[in-house]
Amino acid sequence: MTRLLHLDASPRPGRSGTHEHGSHSRRLSHHFIEHWKAARPRDAVTRRDLGVRPPSLLNVEWIEAAFTPSTQRPAALQQVLAESDSLVDEVIQSDVLVLGVPLYNYSYPAAFKAWIDQIVRVERTIYFDPANIDHPVGPLLNDRPRHAVILSSRGGFGLGAGGPLAHLNHLEASVRTALELIGIEHFHEIAIEYQEEGGERLDASVRDALAEVERLVARLQRDAFPVPRAVSA
């Protein structure tokens, strides 16, 4: 069974195409999950809505707790990390991270940054070894292949790889940097553009992105997470 973690970071509660002023990134992430489950209904999906319930921001108590070795951490400091532990556990247990993240001011919303800060944890998702001068920080989640699917939406256009404004887009590269740090190695990116312009070009971008999502689901299920064939007696 493949385990999926479905995150949405848009503060818009609805989905475009279904709800007025709905989120395009939510539409893509839900489309991904719906198509995955249509073919593989037994696969597990954990859902977390960062846009509706943002993770807590880090504070000095969190920093003290996270950087106190677990063997020396008193119960009070352990409780400070309870939310982070839950978020980290969800990532550890997942094979595919489905991330609905809109582009805000050329990066991602604050709620998504708060999630990243909560899951990059010494002893949980990364190691820190000051004696290793060349590589003091490294991943702990490279025990098995994990895939991250970044499903985004952009008000403008030309912000994708190779586009004339790609240098202004710091969303996907920043997500990859953080998740590669903890050990995730496989990334897939799909985005809707022209949201501010609307009209035919937005409609075409939505159609193309939805179709690309369907192709990606089929490819991942075929190549990365195939269902084992039953062995005949």
Side-chain angles (χ1 to χ4, degrees):
M1 179 178 68
T2 304
R3 297 176 175 83
L4 294 85
L5 175 59
H6 176 194
L7 304 181
D8 277 315
S10 174
R12 296 175 184 261
R15 287 172 268 165
S16 67
T18 303
H19 306 95
E20 186 177 9
H21 307 302
S23 162
H24 288 295
S25 60
R26 286 180 183 271
R27 183 174 183 178
L28 292 181
S29 70
H30 282 261
H31 195 65
F32 185 101
I33 295 297
E34 288 165 0
H35 273 264
W36 188 286
K37 292 288 284 183
R40 305 266 284 271
R42 294 186 179 181
D43 285 355
V45 177
T46 298
R47 173 88 172 104
R48 185 171 287 272
D49 197 325
L50 306 177
V52 172
R53 297 185 64 183
S56 302
L57 300 179
L58 304 194
N59 55 27
V60 65
E61 290 80 13
W62 191 99
I63 294 170
E64 179 186 0
F67 286 92
T68 298
S70 58
T71 56
Q72 303 172 27
R73 190 181 298 144
L77 287 185
Q78 186 60 48
Q79 183 58 37
V80 170
L81 297 175
E83 178 185 14
S84 175
D85 283 333
S86 295
L87 297 173
V88 168
D89 288 343
E90 290 173 353
V91 175
I92 290 174
Q93 294 162 8
S94 298
D95 303 299
V96 182
L97 279 63
V98 182
L99 310 174
V101 189
L103 181 74
Y104 283 7
N105 300 314
Y106 304 109
S107 188
Y108 35 65
F112 190 80
K113 180 58 165 66
W115 176 76
I116 287 177
D117 289 343
Q118 290 280 1
I119 67 165
V120 178
R121 279 265 308 278
V122 173
E123 291 190 345
R124 294 299 316 272
T125 57
I126 62 172
Y127 68 79
F128 175 64
D129 180 8
N132 188 337
I133 298 175
D134 294 327
H135 301 287
V137 178
L140 293 177
L141 302 193
N142 53 358
D143 55 314
R144 68 175 191 270
R146 290 180 175 86
H147 290 247
V149 179
I150 306 170
L151 302 171
S152 189
S153 57
R154 307 163 184 156
F157 61 94
L159 290 150
L165 299 179
H167 63 287
L168 298 176
N169 180 0
H170 303 288
L171 191 155
E172 287 87 351
S174 183
V175 175
R176 288 196 304 271
T177 297
L179 297 186
E180 284 174 348
L181 176 63
I182 67 176
I184 296 174
E185 300 177 346
H186 305 282
F187 293 88
H188 315 272
E189 302 166 8
I190 299 172
I192 291 172
E193 294 194 317
Y194 301 101
Q195 183 172 353
E196 291 179 0
E197 177 182 319
E200 293 182 0
R201 292 213 286 184
L202 171 60
D203 292 343
S205 184
V206 170
R207 287 194 303 270
D208 290 346
L210 292 174
E212 193 172 350
V213 164
E214 294 173 16
R215 290 192 293 270
L216 176 59
V217 167
R219 188 166 68 250
L220 288 175
Q221 291 183 340
R222 182 189 66 235
D223 299 336
F225 301 100
V227 176
R229 293 183 178 181
V231 177
S232 300

